[in-house]
Amino acid sequence: MTRPALTHDVRVIDTTLRDGSHAMAHQFTEDQVRDTVRALDGAGIEVIEVSHGDGIGGSSFNYGFSRTDELQLIAAAREEARTAKIAVLLVPGIGTADDLRRARDAGADMVRVATHCTEADVSPQHFGVARDLGMEAAGFLMMAHRTTPEDLAKQARIMVDAGCQVPYVTDSAGALLMHEARARFEALVAEVGDEAWIGYHGHQNISLGVANSVIAHEVGVRYIDGSLCALGAGSGNSPTEVLAAVFDRLGIDTGLDVLALLDAAEDVVRPYLPRWPKMDRNAIVQGWAGVYSSFLLHAEQAAERYKVPAHEILRRCGELGYVGGQEDMIIDVALGLADERRPR
Amino acid sequence: MTRPALTHDVRVIDTTLRDGSHAMAHQFTEDQVRDTVRALDGAGIEVIEVSHGDGIGGSSFNYGFSRTDELQLIAAAREEARTAKIAVLLVPGIGTADDLRRARDAGADMVRVATHCTEADVSPQHFGVARDLGMEAAGFLMMAHRTTPEDLAKQARIMVDAGCQVPYVTDSAGALLMHEARARFEALVAEVGDEAWIGYHGHQNISLGVANSVIAHEVGVRYIDGSLCALGAGSGNSPTEVLAAVFDRLGIDTGLDVLALLDAAEDVVRPYLPRWPKMDRNAIVQGWAGVYSSFLLHAEQAAERYKVPAHEILRRCGELGYVGGQEDMIIDVALGLADERRPR
């Protein structure tokens, strides 16, 4: 399985309809998905990711139930996209090979298989299934700040050897400083850059998603994620419309229509935003302390219920080293903090 | 006049109460100023800027009237600050030497004299007055994207020769890409770095304020501006609390208490925000097209009045090359666009 041919210097992948699902508490409607896909496709976006925030099969008590069946959303997206590919996220342990087959049947062209940055060894069978289904296959190494560049490159090697065409430096906590991001990009390019494209998925928790995207391009990363209005977990992703404007100013070819993306963000996505993603105390603490971005709403709900500050819950999650999949521990942390605060 | 001794690697200057005045439509109350200064001072901020957004004397029909006399706000800030210096902005042509004397009498310790990036030659007499008043004196070279690094350094030389201790690369449009910012920092460090400190004032219109601050420190810039909750013109300034978190993660000494700044942003400033500064279409267009950030609210008001899109007004202002002080031209642009749209 060779890597796909690219027609532009950078392929900007839009994840409004997947990472944004976290910020929407998984309440996307079919109309919102159709309108957003039409706008993105029309603006030149080549890949549009559509899934529950935690990937296909994520709709559950632990991760939050989807308002609309994601297979219905994927099918709707497939119908609206004239040229864009539709991608889905698959987190092994949450989604299954059967979920992937159903997503493929609904119209998904690409899958991004996501594991914790040190656990690529759970991904090979999923890349095998994706290959058998004839799908383009990328791999997310999540919480990429939690291991060294050298180890991250070894993990990327595991994925690529299993059929992954695009291993990603996935900064799930929005924690990577610029030199840390650069070191990881360089390590992956050195290890697998001759066989695969390298990707970068950033969050804005300490305001470095766009800057790290520029550095990514300098180093040779070709797949770069964004979302409209930054809609995504934590303080959101690198805004797709800002990436387009910045790459335009840099003279880098993305094939994107900047004005059309500005309109898509303003006229299509902004009206359905529950709140504009922002760097507030909770989100900054996530980037500062290296906490999984999609813990944000879970921590805010636990804070409300157990009367402890959300940013303290998040800091504690960072100290304890929790990663994606340990959402149920947030309640434990909140209970523990509430207990510590009880007068004795 | 020698440059001041610094006790930390970076001196973060907070401009919530000056650049934020733009975003507040100049409606700060004395209580808001007192609460904000107390929080900043307690968190270790060494310099706090307090003025009308367009500098002392800015309260006017053209720039917007202040709700509270800025001399009253400066005096209140001076009372609340235990260790922080109070700075004011002075734009020659808007503020006068007499305004500066009154600000000094009210308690200002420092002035930042701001000119367009190619017009430093209007600043020397103001540096002379500042020196005579015994004030620390910095100089803003505004819209720094509008000239070359080499010319910007020559302009900084004019300021330093006139007594300026801290010439600033002032990215009023939030337009500087990372390599463009770096080139300007390097040029100023090379030209005047032995005699003066170099400063950087950024805006977030294309999300690069924090990244450029990190680059600034790498190159040797020592004064770096921020504001709480990013409160400032356009999509706001580099958030002070994010700068603190990022420099902390980089192991760079700022003397700042990150948690105290996160609390200051969340508990003191957030409650009085008219809206959270954001990268919406209008603000991104400012960074993309290089338009003065404080045109934002003026353009939005003109858009409302003349029924033309604000982002089109801003793009036209960029094409026409308007700079700070030409706020009255925004109406002309709006009228012209309205005329073009009239059915014939």
Side-chain angles (χ1 to χ4, degrees):
Chain A
M1 192 177 226
T2 54
R3 60 188 182 186
L6 295 186
T7 42
H8 303 289
D9 289 340
V10 172
R11 170 172 270 193
V12 175
I13 312 287
D14 186 274
T15 185
T16 310
L17 299 172
R18 199 281 302 166
D19 211 320
S21 174
H22 289 299
M24 294 286 287
H26 318 294
Q27 299 303 297
F28 274 121
T29 66
E30 185 177 322
D31 280 349
Q32 289 165 348
V33 167
R34 286 185 182 275
D35 293 345
T36 307
V37 168
R38 217 162 36 239
L40 287 167
D41 184 83
I45 292 286
E46 294 180 299
V47 182
I48 300 169
E49 192 175 48
V50 182
S51 313
H52 183 282
D54 296 285
I56 48 176
S59 180
S60 61
F61 182 79
N62 199 19
Y63 298 105
F65 290 102
S66 299
R67 172 169 169 171
T68 314
D69 187 304
E70 65 193 336
L71 294 173
Q72 184 184 336
L73 299 181
I74 292 163
R78 181 63 281 156
E79 270 183 32
E80 296 294 340
R82 290 168 311 161
T83 56
K85 288 188 177 186
I86 303 302
V88 295
L89 184 77
L90 169 62
V91 182
I94 298 177
T96 64
D98 279 343
D99 288 319
L100 187 56
R101 288 185 196 98
R102 282 190 284 267
R104 177 60 165 158
D105 289 343
D109 311 285
M110 176 176 177
V111 61
R112 309 209 286 184
V113 179
T115 78
H116 182 64
C117 59
T118 55
E119 297 177 3
D121 58 352
V122 303
S123 67
Q125 70 176 96
H126 298 85
F127 287 115
V129 175
R131 189 168 45 211
D132 291 344
L133 291 169
M135 300 177 81
E136 181 176 339
F140 267 25
L141 291 162
M142 297 191 291
M143 300 286 274
H145 71 289
R146 290 281 294 276
T147 193
T148 61
E150 295 69 30
D151 184 55
L152 200 70
K154 285 184 198 152
Q155 301 286 323
R157 163 58 60 200
I158 294 171
M159 286 187 162
V160 170
D161 286 349
C164 171
Q165 299 161 292
V166 194
Y168 262 77
V169 177
T170 301
D171 185 13
S172 317
L176 286 177
L177 299 167
M178 292 145 73
H179 70 284
E180 295 171 337
R182 182 185 292 274
R184 284 161 179 75
F185 300 145
E186 288 174 344
L188 265 65
V189 168
E191 176 66 36
V192 293
D194 289 341
E195 304 148 72
W197 303 120
I198 312 300
Y200 166 61
H201 173 94
H203 282 267
Q204 286 280 74
N205 298 335
I206 51 173
S207 196
L208 295 177
V210 175
N212 285 343
S213 298
V214 172
I215 292 168
H217 170 266
E218 282 174 16
V219 175
V221 170
R222 303 290 296 274
Y223 279 57
I224 294 180
D225 282 16
S227 64
L228 294 171
C229 298
L231 193 68
S235 58
N237 297 99
S238 318
T240 299
E241 62 277 23
V242 176
L243 290 176
V246 167
F247 284 125
D248 175 67
R249 284 276 315 284
L250 285 165
I252 293 164
D253 169 40
T254 59
L256 298 175
D257 179 336
V258 177
L259 286 174
L261 285 169
L262 290 170
D263 290 348
E266 197 78 20
D267 299 332
V268 179
V269 174
R270 187 172 183 168
Y272 66 66
L273 287 183
R275 64 183 188 193
W276 198 287
K278 56 173 68 72
M279 287 182 285
D280 61 7
R281 179 168 53 195
N282 295 340
I284 297 168
V285 162
Q286 291 189 298
W288 186 41
V291 182
Y292 201 56
S293 289
S294 58
F295 282 9
L296 181 63
L297 293 196
H298 297 285
E300 288 180 0
Q301 285 154 9
E304 177 80 16
R305 184 159 170 200
Y306 300 105
K307 311 296 176 206
V308 290
H311 66 98
E312 292 190 16
I313 297 174
L314 291 164
R315 282 180 68 204
R316 185 66 58 90
C317 289
E319 288 162 12
L320 293 168
Y322 291 147
V323 300
Q326 296 184 287
E327 278 74 358
D328 51 332
M329 300 307 292
I330 294 170
I331 304 285
D332 274 20
V333 167
L335 282 168
L337 285 169
D339 188 58
E340 289 168 24
R341 289 168 156 244
R342 196 167 298 137
R344 297 184 199 267
Chain B
M1 192 178 226
T2 54
R3 61 188 180 185
L6 294 186
T7 42
H8 303 289
D9 289 340
V10 172
R11 170 172 270 192
V12 176
I13 312 287
D14 186 274
T15 185
T16 310
L17 299 171
R18 196 283 301 165
D19 210 318
S21 174
H22 289 298
M24 295 286 288
H26 318 294
Q27 299 302 297
F28 274 121
T29 66
E30 185 177 322
D31 281 348
Q32 289 165 348
V33 167
R34 286 186 182 274
D35 293 343
T36 307
V37 168
R38 218 162 35 238
L40 288 167
D41 184 84
I45 292 285
E46 294 180 299
V47 181
I48 300 168
E49 192 175 49
V50 182
S51 312
H52 185 281
D54 295 285
I56 49 177
S59 180
S60 62
F61 182 79
N62 199 18
Y63 299 106
F65 290 102
S66 299
R67 171 168 170 172
T68 314
D69 186 303
E70 64 193 336
L71 294 174
Q72 184 185 334
L73 299 181
I74 292 163
R78 180 63 279 155
E79 269 183 33
E80 296 293 340
R82 291 168 312 161
T83 56
K85 287 188 177 186
I86 302 301
V88 295
L89 184 77
L90 169 63
V91 182
I94 299 176
T96 64
D98 280 342
D99 287 319
L100 187 56
R101 287 185 195 97
R102 282 190 284 267
R104 177 61 165 160
D105 290 342
D109 311 285
M110 178 175 176
V111 61
R112 309 208 286 184
V113 179
T115 78
H116 183 64
C117 60
T118 55
E119 297 177 2
D121 58 351
V122 303
S123 68
Q125 71 176 95
H126 298 86
F127 286 116
V129 174
R131 190 166 46 208
D132 292 344
L133 292 169
M135 299 176 82
E136 182 175 338
F140 267 25
L141 291 162
M142 297 190 291
M143 299 286 274
H145 69 289
R146 290 282 295 275
T147 192
T148 62
E150 297 66 33
D151 185 56
L152 200 71
K154 285 184 197 151
Q155 300 286 323
R157 164 58 61 201
I158 293 171
M159 286 188 162
V160 169
D161 286 349
C164 171
Q165 299 161 294
V166 193
Y168 263 77
V169 176
T170 300
D171 184 13
S172 317
L176 286 178
L177 299 167
M178 292 145 74
H179 70 284
E180 295 172 338
R182 183 185 292 273
R184 284 161 179 76
F185 301 145
E186 288 174 345
L188 264 66
V189 167
E191 176 66 36
V192 294
D194 290 340
E195 304 147 71
W197 303 120
I198 312 302
Y200 166 61
H201 173 95
H203 282 267
Q204 286 280 74
N205 297 336
I206 51 173
S207 195
L208 295 177
V210 175
N212 285 342
S213 297
V214 171
I215 292 167
H217 169 266
E218 283 174 15
V219 176
V221 169
R222 302 291 295 274
Y223 279 58
I224 294 180
D225 282 17
S227 65
L228 293 171
C229 297
L231 193 68
S235 59
N237 297 100
S238 317
T240 299
E241 61 277 23
V242 176
L243 290 176
V246 167
F247 283 127
D248 175 68
R249 284 276 314 284
L250 285 165
I252 293 165
D253 171 39
T254 58
L256 298 176
D257 179 336
V258 176
L259 287 174
L261 284 169
L262 289 170
D263 291 347
E266 197 78 20
D267 300 331
V268 178
V269 174
R270 186 171 183 169
Y272 66 67
L273 287 184
R275 63 183 186 192
W276 197 287
K278 57 173 68 73
M279 287 182 286
D280 61 7
R281 179 169 52 195
N282 294 341
I284 297 168
V285 161
Q286 292 189 298
W288 186 42
V291 182
Y292 200 56
S293 289
S294 59
F295 281 10
L296 181 63
L297 294 195
H298 297 284
E300 287 179 0
Q301 286 154 9
E304 176 81 16
R305 187 160 167 197
Y306 300 104
K307 310 295 175 208
V308 290
H311 66 100
E312 291 189 17
I313 297 175
L314 291 164
R315 282 180 67 204
R316 186 66 59 91
C317 288
E319 287 161 13
L320 293 168
Y322 291 147
V323 300
Q326 295 183 287
E327 279 73 358
D328 52 331
M329 300 308 291
I330 293 169
I331 304 285
D332 274 22
V333 167
L335 282 169
L337 285 170
D339 188 56
E340 289 169 24
R341 289 170 157 244
R342 197 167 298 139
R344 297 187 197 268

